[in-house]
Amino acid sequence: MRIGHGYDAHRLVPGRKLILGGVEIPFELGLLGHSDADALAHAAADALFGAAGLSDIGAHFPDTDPAYEGADSMLMLKNAAAEVAALGFRIENVDCTLVADRPKLQAYLPQMRENLASALGVAPEQVNVKATTEEGLGLAGAGIGAHCVALLRAEP
Ligand code: MG
């Protein structure tokens, strides 16, 4: 068994879409980034890379590479899952926590779970997505953060 952790955060700004776990959430602000800035997909990919000992998402999908400008981060996550699978790892489960004071994310969590499971090639029951606030104490008013842990099992 191998465990990995991923963390990501992006700033909320006007004029950008808000996309988390491949779900476009209606809100007057969106996340700023080179790709579509899907912090949840990025944190999940980093958890997989971390568990497999494959460095991090920046090493695999550089944010200086024009190929990833505006990129669909769920495709990056799918590629990350393919990379760990190629090394003989199977995903046991992935657990994620979004950190956002705004907007309210609860209604979108089931679809994020479905999307993550689909990108990872696992059942929805192997994925958990939850959301919390920081009650004005941290970054979550200015942006959105995501933590994920992944457990991988080495194939016999
Ligand atoms: Mg990111």
Side-chain angles (χ1 to χ4, degrees):
M1 293 289 197
R2 305 268 304 220
I3 193 166
H5 170 259
Y7 171 70
D8 192 30
H10 285 266
R11 182 177 293 278
L12 281 168
V13 296
R16 290 272 302 183
K17 287 180 179 173
L18 175 55
I19 297 172
L20 290 168
V23 180
E24 189 176 333
I25 297 160
F27 189 51
E28 68 263 30
L29 304 174
L31 294 176
L32 181 63
H34 183 67
S35 66
D36 64 5
D38 186 334
L40 178 56
H42 295 175
D46 258 352
L48 292 184
F49 287 137
L54 290 175
S55 186
D56 62 27
I57 191 169
H60 294 261
F61 313 110
D63 66 5
T64 50
D65 187 338
Y68 300 114
E69 192 172 342
D72 178 352
S73 297
M74 294 303 284
L75 289 177
M76 292 155 74
L77 179 59
K78 202 170 179 175
N79 288 343
E83 285 198 49
V84 303
L87 287 177
F89 291 110
R90 289 190 61 150
I91 296 168
E92 196 64 37
N93 77 304
V94 174
D95 180 34
C96 303
T97 304
L98 287 162
V99 185
D101 279 359
R102 56 180 184 158
K104 289 286 170 225
L105 299 174
Q106 216 63 34
Y108 306 99
L109 301 182
Q111 189 60 53
M112 292 180 200
R113 181 193 205 188
E114 293 282 338
N115 291 353
L116 288 180
S118 170
L120 296 170
V122 300
E125 294 72 29
Q126 291 168 276
V127 177
N128 192 67
V129 183
K130 51 203 181 300
T132 189
T133 63
E134 288 182 332
E135 310 212 349
L137 294 168
L139 71 83
I144 291 178
H147 296 265
C148 289
V149 289
L151 192 66
L152 304 183
R153 182 162 34 89
E155 289 278 71

